[in-house]
Amino acid sequence: DVVMTQSPLSLPVTLGQPASISCRSSQTLVHSDGNTFLNWFQQRPGQSPRRLIYKVSNRDSGVPDRFSGSGSGTDFTLKISRVEAEDVGVYYCMQSTHWPLTFGGGTKVEIK
Amino acid sequence: QISLKESGPTLVKPTQTLTLTCTFSGFSLGTNEMGVGWIRQPPGKALEWLALLYWNDVKRYSPSLESRLTITKDTSKNQVVLTMTNMDPVDTATYYCIHRQGDGDYGLWGQGTLVTVSS
């Protein structure tokens, strides 16, 4: 299985300040078709996960542009340019290139 | 508009078989590239893929749970059913179904259903 390693585990952030979450995979996520299927999900307290980013850097409809994804191969990053109160929750990366699909362990974003 | 909703028992006893149903709307599992998967999340823990069913009836299972899982579909009812045998307290989790729209494209989740395994 592809192991997805996220860091940090917990991320206290001051409102209005940037935040960055790292996700590393144990093998390349480049698919045979050339796409890299790396996704980012946000899970607010008590809610089901919501996808923010797909194929490394594509924002889903309705996702604020303060969220951005980058990276390639085995090394990926989710950035929030200015954290808002509604961004509190747990963020997961997920690879959908290889079966079984696998998630990172999650990063809890909280306000300082 | 696509939506999915999970249903099933909230409490099962150890050794029993769990049967969960995902009822969806806004797409057909008869359409190329569509799929429905199941994911679970133990309380306070991370997410784990369980199974995936494609439009062409190809099925994929988590290698670690494959012997206990069966995923099936009823295209006419827009439902996907997951059964898990020999339930154990460690299987206590919220179970989600998720929509597959194409290669690598897993965007929409159901609300989830909490299943507790206890005698």
Side-chain angles (χ1 to χ4, degrees), chain A residues 27-39:
Chain A
Q27 56 184 274
T28 182
L29 299 186
V30 180
H31 193 270
S32 55
D33 67 5
N35 286 305
T36 300
F37 294 115
L38 186 282
N39 309 270

Side-chain angles (χ1 to χ4, degrees), chain A residues 42-57:
Chain A
Q42 174 196 61
Q43 188 174 31
R44 290 174 171 149
Q47 295 186 14
S48 55
R50 164 202 183 197
R51 193 176 67 182
L52 301 174
I53 303 283
Y54 62 96
K55 287 198 280 188
V56 181
S57 59

Side-chain angles (χ1 to χ4, degrees), chain B residues 62-118:
Chain B
S62 165
S64 61
L65 292 166
E66 184 164 8
S67 62
R68 298 173 54 204
L69 295 172
T70 304
I71 189 169
T72 58
K73 65 181 165 102
D74 185 330
T75 307
S76 64
K77 290 184 179 177
N78 281 352
Q79 290 181 333
V80 170
V81 175
L82 180 76
T83 60
M84 181 180 288
T85 61
N86 195 24
M87 293 292 285
D88 183 273
V90 301
D91 297 313
T92 294
T94 297
Y95 288 75
Y96 297 97
C97 59
I98 188 170
H99 173 238
R100 177 195 192 265
Q101 189 153 296
D103 268 348
D105 190 351
Y106 300 85
L108 285 164
W109 299 58
Q111 64 190 28
T113 185
L114 175 61
V115 178
T116 301
V117 184
S118 174

Side-chain angles (χ1 to χ4, degrees), chain A residues 42-81:
Chain A
Q42 174 196 61
Q43 188 174 31
R44 290 174 171 149
Q47 295 186 14
S48 55
R50 164 202 183 197
R51 193 176 67 182
L52 301 174
I53 303 283
Y54 62 96
K55 287 198 280 188
V56 181
S57 59
N58 296 275
R59 260 191 312 274
D60 272 280
S61 175
V63 174
D65 61 8
R66 64 179 180 275
F67 290 93
S68 64
S70 63
S72 63
T74 62
D75 201 348
F76 305 93
T77 302
L78 175 71
K79 289 183 178 170
I80 311 174
S81 58

Side-chain angles (χ1 to χ4, degrees), chain A residues 4-41:
Chain A
M4 305 295 289
T5 304
Q6 278 184 244
S7 61
L9 213 61
S10 175
L11 185 54
V13 187
T14 301
L15 286 173
Q17 292 301 301
S20 180
I21 300 170
S22 169
C23 176
R24 291 199 166 114
S25 57
S26 60
Q27 56 184 274
T28 182
L29 299 186
V30 180
H31 193 270
S32 55
D33 67 5
N35 286 305
T36 300
F37 294 115
L38 186 282
N39 309 270
W40 288 97
F41 293 89

